[in-house]
Every structure is written in C-alpha cells, then in structure tokens.
Amino acid sequence: MILDFYTVTDDNRVVSKNLGALNVELSASVYDDCSIMNPRFLLAYYDVIVNSNYIHVPKWNRYYYIRDIVASAGNRCVITCKEDYLMSNKDGILNLDVYPIRGSYINREPYLSDSSIPQKVRRNCLTIGFPSSPFIETGGYSYVMTVVGGRKLS
Amino acid sequence: MIKDLMELGINTSTNVKEITVNASYVLADKFLPYCVGYFPFSYVQNSNLFKLTGNTSVITGGLGTGWQFDFVGEYQKRGHPTKGVPFAWANRDRRNENLGVGSFYNPDIITTKYILSPFCSSVENNACHLFTRWNIEKGISTVTKFEEFVLEIKFKVRIFITTQNSDNPQVTDKIEYFEYVISSDDTAEHKINPYTLSFDISQNLYGREITITDQTWKRRENAGIHVFTGTDGHQHRYFWIVEDLCVRTFNYVPVCETGGYRFNQFNEYNTLLSHDKTHTIRSNVVAGLSFSGNEPFENEHRYTPPTGIKNITGLIYDGRYYYIYSSGLYTYNTALYYFINGGYDYNDLIYWRCALPIWHYNGTWYTGEYDDNYVLTGNIIPFEDARDWQKNLNPDTNDFNWEDIPSGSFKEDESGDKVPNQFNKVVGVASNFVTQYLLTSGQIAKFGEILWTSWADQNFNTEILTNFYGVLNEETGSWNISAVLDFIVSCRLFPMSLPTLVSNSPTTSVSIGSGAFGINCGTIREPSFFIANESVAVRHCGSVLIPNTYFDFRDYDNTNVTVYLPFCGSVQLSPADVVGKYLGCTYAIDLFDGSCKAFLYVMAEESDGYNDAFYNVAIKTGQCGFLIPLSATNAGQVASRKQVDGYTDGMYTLNSLTSMFNSVASFAEGDVLGGIRGIGQMAQTGIMDNRYNAIVRGRSGIDAPSTSGGSSFADFMQPAKPYVQVRRAIYQEPLEYESTVGYISDSAKYNKVSDFKGFCQFKNVDLSGLNCNEDERNEIKAILESGVYV
C-alpha cells in the first residue's frame, strides 16, 4: 500500500486543505487489525516521516492526520493515524446544500440576536431630556382653590 | 450599516453654510456633504450647500458671479482588477453660470455616467440651495442587492466660486475654491456585504462610504428616495414609500431596517403627456397623501388611494414583484393630483434632467421650487418580502382592488395607523356648584389673612355679607372658620403655570358661597355657563429620538429604556417599541383632584404634535396637584387668637367633588346637558334641599381622592422635566472577529457549501449524496454544525 506523506499547516477545520508539496511516497503495510478511520501502518523508517503530519492513502481514497510515530527495531516504524473526514469527503461536502447559521462572509442579519459577541459588564447610559415640561422647578406655582358655589348670586 | 444622519441626531438645518458676499468677494465655509436616504440607492446630497447672503447686488445677474463645478473621481467595481477607474464628467459641468438671486445653477447634465449632478433647488430669502444627486441613465430597474455595487469609489468635487470685478466686469476674481473627497478606504471584499458597511459618519462625514452601481446597473434608473427643501429652507423628508402596499414615512422606519435592497424607480418610456415638459408615465408611485397643512388624520389615506386612481396594475418583473401605477392626473376631493414618474426625458432641459417622482395636489406641475406640497415617492419590494396575499395576486390583470388590502395590519417595522385624535378633546365638567380659582401664593396668604381677621374690621359691605350664610359670628365679630372651610372643597398647589394652560380665565373675586372676599384672581370656569372649560389641562413635552448605537440587534438586546416622568415616576419601555423612533410625551392633568396622566407615544418624526402619534407605549398615572393643608380642628383656636396665619399644622382632609360628580352629576366633554341631567338627579334624590349646604354635608359620603403616586411635597425635589435614559450594553468585538467567529446569517439562503467561504457554521446538515460510512457521516455532520473553514 502506498502512502503519500505531507506536511499540512491548515487548521483541522479547513475542508479543503492545502497539502503543499509531497514529502515522500512510501510503501507500507497495515499494522495489525485496525479501523479504516484510525489505522496504523508499518513501514520502513525515514527521517522525512518524522517531519510529516499528514498522509494520503490513494488506495482507500482517504486522508489522515498522523497522530503518533513509534520507532521499532530494525529501522522500522509504526504510524498511528486518524482520518480527516473533511478532506476525505471534500468534494461531497462542498456539494452539500446547507443553511448557514453564521459565517464570515454571509448575509448578515443584523437584527438576530447574537450572544457570541463579547459584552462588557459596563454599560453606556444616555440621558435625553424632553424639550419641555408642564412643570416648573421653582416659583410661579399655581394654587387652585375649589369652593362650593363661589359666584355672587344676583 | 448605512446610517442616516437624521437618526444620528444631526440637525440638517445646522449644516447651512453661509457664503457672505463681500463686495466682489464670495467667501464660504467648507461644506459638509452627506448622504440622505438609504444610500446608495439614494444619492449624495449637499444639503444647504451654499447659502448666499450679504450684498446680493454683487451676485445678481450681470456681474457674472459664477459657479464652476469640477467633478473628478474614481471607482473600483466589484471584481474589477484595477483599482481606481477614473470617471469624470468635468466637461459637462465645468463652466460658469451666472448665479444671481432668483436664478438657478442649472448644469447641462447628460447622464451617461454615474454622476454627481449639482443643481439648485430653490431660491428663497436670497439664499440659493444647491444640491447634488446621483443620476444614472434611464432604463429598467430591478431590485439589486448591495453585492452588485462597486467596491469602492472616491471622488472629488471641486467648486469654484468666482465673481467678476464690480468695477471692471472684464476682470474675474477667483475667490474661493472648495474641494471635498468622499471615499471608502477599506477595500476589503467583505465590505461589500451590506451589513458590514459600517462606519461612523457622525464623526467623519468625509469618510462616508460611497457605493454606486456597476455596469449592470448603468442602464437603470436610480430615482431612489429624494429629499427636498421646503420653503422654510429646511429639508423635508416625507418619503412615501410604496412598500408592501403600505405607504409609510421613511423617517419612521429606521433606514437600516429596510434590508439589503435598494429601492428605485421603475420606468418605461412609452407615452408622453401633452405638456411642454415631457414626462414618463409609468411609475410605481402610489398614493401616499401628505399634507403641508393641518389636515386631519382622517384625510390621509394610508391604505386607500385617492379617488380616481384606476389604473393599478401589478407586474412580475425580473423575478421581483412590482406594483406599477400609472402616472397621470387624478382627482381627490376637489384637488388635482399629478402622479409623476421618477423618470426623466432627455428633452426636458428646463430644470430637471431627472424628474423626481413627485406629485402635487394643487394641480400644477413642478416649476422648480419645492414646497411641502410635493411628496416624493418610489419604492419597490422584493418578491420574497411581499406578503402572501400579494404574491398570489395575478399580476397580469387589473383586478387588484384596494379593498383587499388588510387595513391596519402590521408588518415588522411598519408604522401602521396613527393613534387617532388623542388629547384633542376639551373636557369640561358641568358644574353649577363649584368654582375654581387660580391664586398666587400671595393671594392664598391674603385669603387667610381675611379669614383670621375680624370681619367687622374689614369694612365689608354688610349688604354683601348677607350672602355669607352663617359664616359670620356677629357676636364676636369673627368668622366662623369651620363654616368657611366647609365651603372649600380643596386647595391645591400645582407646580406649573396654570394660566398658560387654562383658557378663558376671567378675573373675578374669590367668593365663598356667594360672598366675595375681594381677592381678584382667575377662575377656571367660564362664568356665563358655569362650566369648567378645561377640567383637564393638556401639556405637551415635545419628542426625543431614541437613538441607535449599533444599528443592529445590540440596540435592543440588553438595552433598557427608562423614562422618568415628573410626579408619575419611572416607566420602562420596550426597546423594540421605541429605538430608532421618536418618543413623544404629553401630560393630562386633572385640575380637580390633582392627578395626572403621562402619555408616552411613538411618532413618525420629531414633532410636538400628538396627532403624529402612531401608538402609545405607556401611560403612567401620578399626582401633581398637592393639597394645601387647611386646619379644621385648629381653626377655632386660631381664629380666637386672631392670628394672621394662612397655614397651620394638621391635615383637614378635604373631600373632592370628583366622586360626587361621578355619581350625581355628569362628566361631559363640554356637554352642558350632562350637567343639567346631573342636577336633575340631585333634585330627585333630595340633595338640593339647600343650595350649597346640602352639597357640603354630602361630602361626608364621598371618598377622599387618592393621593398615591406622588402626593408628597418631597416630589418637588425631583427633576421637573421628563427625560429618557437609554442604558445599553457595550460590546467588544475582537480583531478578526468576523473572519474567525462570523456573524449570524439571515438564513435565507440554501446554498452549496462551496458557495461560502471563510468560517461557516451550518445547521441541520443533510448529508444526502455523501458516500461514506456511518461513523464518518456522524463526524462530518458534527464538524459542519460546529463550524468549518471553507
């Protein structure tokens, strides 16, 4: 089985990763029984393996992160891998129909509440006075006396 | 977010820059251009750009005062590889114009480019107001999203103001040179997103981001939303927008809430009217009536077109839903209405190369000067925003009936109807039994002085004293204080200037029963008919704009809007009701029991007029009339000592006649008959066995008025002016927040993952079509829903 070794610096969440240049193409065997999603491979040791963190297994059409490299006697090594589900299925994923919740370059709906934006404890306070008031601060008050009758009878 | 200067609290009227004509010189301050309306489908307007004052004879015709406009600019279209594609129309406008008082600067504009075309809108009070606006070639419009706009534009406008030497007209004095630059420096692509066009134009108007259209838009009309200057020299922004077939004022709905669409005019050149000025005839202008005067609300037809509009059709066009209405002459009541499309005609060289979508209800064509009679209209809604019943209309028929429109229904951010006629009533209490006197503090003291002094020493006319009905103790020469106080229903202090509130306040003498005390003061009743003309005093406090800060959800979330109402306390308002809107406040004060109600309501625009209220948001009750303590138990002692003291300790609870009137008389809105009926009832129950004393005795069965909600004089320590406090959370957006965390999507699109880029988070991902095992599916689904970089 052929393994293509790469050094990938993209974030694991990147769907379509930039593989960069191929480090080396090596022949390997599956080590013991293992899951295709978390396989281990036995192969001859080369220094370039240590400098790689990502492999492509053409036969399985899958991409894997290298999780660990165990050096063995006889100039051999065992690499433990974990599948990159995004990269392995990138064509299918990119073709999925989806509804976005949030994103960097989307049609932002500014009036949907977004609790993820950090909020300070402090608050702004704006005071706005109305232009006028029925009431006066001091002086000029009016006294209203209500009396019974109160008109001079003729 | 594009912000509207009005919403930012910038008073456009303060942007008037005066140019003082001094001999042959014209001096001017640097002017501030700004955008009005929902840019960019509106236009850049240099409101009140110049105002010519001073020695106007210098600039009148013949002296050759000239204005030279020189426009240069550059823009970068979206996707265009080269930044800074120049555009210029200098040749079009680089010329001198005689600009005298009463004349216009009228550049000969051929709208083959995106141009900022200046024009002079009006001359009034020796002031000429120049404007600029965008003109684009005529054509067919569609609803275009902001993404299609150009990425960036910069342009400079240079304006030379020149005059000729008054002594030697052959010599031109170059006087002043102005230049301003409008640009958007941020060229990041995401800036195209309509919701990321964020900048604070209130701080730097010159940095206002400008976007115009690209080539696909070139052939379209961008009549947009217009602003005009009224005869008072100020801007009037009564934009009546056809949206959802609800005509609403532009001011009322925050600009940013109208979504990422631009509104524009739909034009088709197919008919010319028989007129010396040709106009296009098809338009989406719909009947939105506005009146410059004080037309009653009932005459405004928000949902009903003026009589005579028949040619209403709807069209599905370019995937969008349009309502197309014919221009033409219509009648409403006895007035004529011209509905003029926003199009223009190349042959119209008089004043308007681009006629505004205006209509005029006095039956005259636009003549070059605006006034309030012109209402500018024009708007289109995208189909997806239309209501269901609108979408189901058959666009190919004319059977659209205005009767089908659900009146009064509310759409989000829609204004709806106004609150009809609140506060318009004059509430008078039919009262043949009481009189209310308006007294000053000195008159109150004088009244006490009289009471506490022997009547015999006061030289009262004994003939008059016979009217005092036992309030005099003839043996001691003193007043029978208790008897006097029995006639007093209440004495209240109102912290306001009541004479300005109460109309028809004749001067008369304070009387007890029918005995006059010789203290002349005002009364609150109309003496001829014995009706308290204004038992409720209404006073308006004006309105304030509850401002936006962020122009997004943050203006509402974690926002408290508290209104302090003097003598009523505080009330919390829902930010959703008031943010971005004008909040009005009006007090109604009961002069009988001293209670008051404060009404808070939302208005379409800044106004003192309560008739502009769209809906009430709160009504708060309080007490602003405070009982002056008059002692009954101590009255005799005080009288025997003949102390001159109008106020003593101890509260004598004075019962209000309010409850009595509720039961035996009638409150009526200026209804004398109500009072008569009340009197009749009183007679039937035997209450009128004595003219006055029966009423006095009857008080024992009447509840004292509630004084809760502010009855303490300590309330005077509080501010006497209502105010609003908006407490709003402060948000902190880290650097690269958008690219790493992103913002919430409008969720309106159902697209391929590949259509997105950057960080994206999806919901309810459907993995159909994906060829992988179950565990892989679960992992992929989880990853997509937690966020990936595309």
Side-chain angles (χ1 to χ4, degrees), chain B residues 279-294:
Chain B
H279 295 267
T280 56
I281 61 103
R282 300 200 71 182
S283 171
N284 65 345
V285 175
V286 74
L289 303 188
S290 179
F291 297 89
S292 59
N294 297 319

PDB file of all heavy atoms in Angstrom, chain B residues 279-294:
ATOM      1  N   HIS B 279     -42.869  63.963 -19.715  1.00  0.00           N
ATOM      2  CA  HIS B 279     -42.629  63.119 -18.552  1.00  0.00           C
ATOM      3  C   HIS B 279     -42.984  61.687 -18.910  1.00  0.00           C
ATOM      4  O   HIS B 279     -43.859  61.437 -19.726  1.00  0.00           O
ATOM      5  CB  HIS B 279     -43.478  63.550 -17.357  1.00  0.00           C
ATOM      6  CG  HIS B 279     -43.127  64.890 -16.852  1.00  0.00           C
ATOM      7  ND1 HIS B 279     -42.223  65.106 -15.841  1.00  0.00           N
ATOM      8  CD2 HIS B 279     -43.547  66.105 -17.250  1.00  0.00           C
ATOM      9  CE1 HIS B 279     -42.112  66.399 -15.625  1.00  0.00           C
ATOM     10  NE2 HIS B 279     -42.902  67.024 -16.450  1.00  0.00           N
ATOM     11  N   THR B 280     -42.323  60.845 -18.301  1.00  0.00           N
ATOM     12  CA  THR B 280     -42.702  59.452 -18.457  1.00  0.00           C
ATOM     13  C   THR B 280     -43.982  59.194 -17.700  1.00  0.00           C
ATOM     14  O   THR B 280     -44.381  59.957 -16.833  1.00  0.00           O
ATOM     15  CB  THR B 280     -41.612  58.538 -17.915  1.00  0.00           C
ATOM     16  OG1 THR B 280     -41.367  58.902 -16.569  1.00  0.00           O
ATOM     17  CG2 THR B 280     -40.355  58.691 -18.725  1.00  0.00           C
ATOM     18  N   ILE B 281     -44.578  58.137 -18.020  1.00  0.00           N
ATOM     19  CA  ILE B 281     -45.914  57.980 -17.471  1.00  0.00           C
ATOM     20  C   ILE B 281     -46.089  56.722 -16.643  1.00  0.00           C
ATOM     21  O   ILE B 281     -47.115  56.538 -16.029  1.00  0.00           O
ATOM     22  CB  ILE B 281     -46.966  57.988 -18.579  1.00  0.00           C
ATOM     23  CG1 ILE B 281     -46.748  56.841 -19.532  1.00  0.00           C
ATOM     24  CG2 ILE B 281     -46.966  59.299 -19.302  1.00  0.00           C
ATOM     25  CD1 ILE B 281     -47.686  55.729 -19.332  1.00  0.00           C
ATOM     26  N   ARG B 282     -45.139  55.854 -16.617  1.00  0.00           N
ATOM     27  CA  ARG B 282     -45.345  54.665 -15.798  1.00  0.00           C
ATOM     28  C   ARG B 282     -44.488  54.775 -14.551  1.00  0.00           C
ATOM     29  O   ARG B 282     -43.368  55.219 -14.577  1.00  0.00           O
ATOM     30  CB  ARG B 282     -44.990  53.407 -16.570  1.00  0.00           C
ATOM     31  CG  ARG B 282     -45.826  53.252 -17.822  1.00  0.00           C
ATOM     32  CD  ARG B 282     -45.818  51.841 -18.286  1.00  0.00           C
ATOM     33  NE  ARG B 282     -46.582  50.984 -17.385  1.00  0.00           N
ATOM     34  CZ  ARG B 282     -46.687  49.672 -17.553  1.00  0.00           C
ATOM     35  NH1 ARG B 282     -46.084  49.091 -18.553  1.00  0.00           N
ATOM     36  NH2 ARG B 282     -47.405  48.955 -16.740  1.00  0.00           N
ATOM     37  N   SER B 283     -45.020  54.339 -13.530  1.00  0.00           N
ATOM     38  CA  SER B 283     -44.336  54.562 -12.274  1.00  0.00           C
ATOM     39  C   SER B 283     -44.850  53.584 -11.245  1.00  0.00           C
ATOM     40  O   SER B 283     -45.895  53.003 -11.374  1.00  0.00           O
ATOM     41  CB  SER B 283     -44.575  55.990 -11.785  1.00  0.00           C
ATOM     42  OG  SER B 283     -44.090  56.127 -10.482  1.00  0.00           O
ATOM     43  N   ASN B 284     -44.073  53.418 -10.251  1.00  0.00           N
ATOM     44  CA  ASN B 284     -44.579  52.676  -9.106  1.00  0.00           C
ATOM     45  C   ASN B 284     -45.062  53.620  -8.025  1.00  0.00           C
ATOM     46  O   ASN B 284     -45.219  53.248  -6.884  1.00  0.00           O
ATOM     47  CB  ASN B 284     -43.520  51.748  -8.539  1.00  0.00           C
ATOM     48  CG  ASN B 284     -42.358  52.524  -7.979  1.00  0.00           C
ATOM     49  OD1 ASN B 284     -42.222  53.709  -8.260  1.00  0.00           O
ATOM     50  ND2 ASN B 284     -41.526  51.877  -7.203  1.00  0.00           N
ATOM     51  N   VAL B 285     -45.243  54.817  -8.416  1.00  0.00           N
ATOM     52  CA  VAL B 285     -45.733  55.790  -7.454  1.00  0.00           C
ATOM     53  C   VAL B 285     -47.152  55.425  -7.070  1.00  0.00           C
ATOM     54  O   VAL B 285     -47.990  55.180  -7.914  1.00  0.00           O
ATOM     55  CB  VAL B 285     -45.706  57.197  -8.046  1.00  0.00           C
ATOM     56  CG1 VAL B 285     -46.334  58.187  -7.088  1.00  0.00           C
ATOM     57  CG2 VAL B 285     -44.285  57.575  -8.368  1.00  0.00           C
ATOM     58  N   VAL B 286     -47.356  55.382  -5.840  1.00  0.00           N
ATOM     59  CA  VAL B 286     -48.688  55.048  -5.372  1.00  0.00           C
ATOM     60  C   VAL B 286     -49.165  56.157  -4.471  1.00  0.00           C
ATOM     61  O   VAL B 286     -48.399  57.022  -4.061  1.00  0.00           O
ATOM     62  CB  VAL B 286     -48.683  53.700  -4.629  1.00  0.00           C
ATOM     63  CG1 VAL B 286     -48.042  53.853  -3.277  1.00  0.00           C
ATOM     64  CG2 VAL B 286     -50.093  53.142  -4.507  1.00  0.00           C
ATOM     65  N   ALA B 287     -50.397  56.102  -4.210  1.00  0.00           N
ATOM     66  CA  ALA B 287     -50.991  57.217  -3.492  1.00  0.00           C
ATOM     67  C   ALA B 287     -50.565  57.226  -2.048  1.00  0.00           C
ATOM     68  O   ALA B 287     -50.962  56.387  -1.261  1.00  0.00           O
ATOM     69  CB  ALA B 287     -52.508  57.127  -3.576  1.00  0.00           C
ATOM     70  N   GLY B 288     -49.790  58.134  -1.737  1.00  0.00           N
ATOM     71  CA  GLY B 288     -49.478  58.386  -0.346  1.00  0.00           C
ATOM     72  C   GLY B 288     -49.691  59.860  -0.129  1.00  0.00           C
ATOM     73  O   GLY B 288     -48.947  60.672  -0.631  1.00  0.00           O
ATOM     74  N   LEU B 289     -50.679  60.165   0.548  1.00  0.00           N
ATOM     75  CA  LEU B 289     -51.042  61.566   0.659  1.00  0.00           C
ATOM     76  C   LEU B 289     -50.390  62.182   1.873  1.00  0.00           C
ATOM     77  O   LEU B 289     -50.346  61.607   2.937  1.00  0.00           O
ATOM     78  CB  LEU B 289     -52.557  61.711   0.772  1.00  0.00           C
ATOM     79  CG  LEU B 289     -53.347  61.109  -0.368  1.00  0.00           C
ATOM     80  CD1 LEU B 289     -54.803  61.493  -0.222  1.00  0.00           C
ATOM     81  CD2 LEU B 289     -52.811  61.562  -1.697  1.00  0.00           C
ATOM     82  N   SER B 290     -49.909  63.311   1.675  1.00  0.00           N
ATOM     83  CA  SER B 290     -49.341  64.065   2.763  1.00  0.00           C
ATOM     84  C   SER B 290     -49.751  65.503   2.584  1.00  0.00           C
ATOM     85  O   SER B 290     -49.886  65.980   1.468  1.00  0.00           O
ATOM     86  CB  SER B 290     -47.823  63.945   2.782  1.00  0.00           C
ATOM     87  OG  SER B 290     -47.302  64.716   3.830  1.00  0.00           O
ATOM     88  N   PHE B 291     -49.912  66.134   3.654  1.00  0.00           N
ATOM     89  CA  PHE B 291     -50.406  67.485   3.572  1.00  0.00           C
ATOM     90  C   PHE B 291     -49.463  68.413   4.304  1.00  0.00           C
ATOM     91  O   PHE B 291     -48.920  68.066   5.351  1.00  0.00           O
ATOM     92  CB  PHE B 291     -51.801  67.586   4.196  1.00  0.00           C
ATOM     93  CG  PHE B 291     -52.805  66.754   3.477  1.00  0.00           C
ATOM     94  CD1 PHE B 291     -53.008  65.432   3.847  1.00  0.00           C
ATOM     95  CD2 PHE B 291     -53.514  67.279   2.429  1.00  0.00           C
ATOM     96  CE1 PHE B 291     -53.925  64.647   3.184  1.00  0.00           C
ATOM     97  CE2 PHE B 291     -54.442  66.497   1.769  1.00  0.00           C
ATOM     98  CZ  PHE B 291     -54.653  65.187   2.125  1.00  0.00           C
ATOM     99  N   SER B 292     -49.340  69.542   3.719  1.00  0.00           N
ATOM    100  CA  SER B 292     -48.464  70.504   4.366  1.00  0.00           C
ATOM    101  C   SER B 292     -49.173  71.217   5.501  1.00  0.00           C
ATOM    102  O   SER B 292     -48.555  71.720   6.406  1.00  0.00           O
ATOM    103  CB  SER B 292     -47.973  71.529   3.348  1.00  0.00           C
ATOM    104  OG  SER B 292     -49.074  72.203   2.776  1.00  0.00           O
ATOM    105  N   GLY B 293     -50.437  71.272   5.424  1.00  0.00           N
ATOM    106  CA  GLY B 293     -51.162  71.966   6.460  1.00  0.00           C
ATOM    107  C   GLY B 293     -51.584  71.026   7.566  1.00  0.00           C
ATOM    108  O   GLY B 293     -51.022  69.959   7.768  1.00  0.00           O
ATOM    109  N   ASN B 294     -52.558  71.429   8.253  1.00  0.00           N
ATOM    110  CA  ASN B 294     -53.019  70.623   9.372  1.00  0.00           C
ATOM    111  C   ASN B 294     -54.228  69.799   8.970  1.00  0.00           C
ATOM    112  O   ASN B 294     -55.290  69.873   9.563  1.00  0.00           O
ATOM    113  CB  ASN B 294     -53.361  71.522  10.560  1.00  0.00           C
ATOM    114  CG  ASN B 294     -52.156  72.254  11.055  1.00  0.00           C
ATOM    115  OD1 ASN B 294     -51.068  71.683  11.132  1.00  0.00           O
ATOM    116  ND2 ASN B 294     -52.323  73.515  11.392  1.00  0.00           N
TER     117      ASN B 294
END
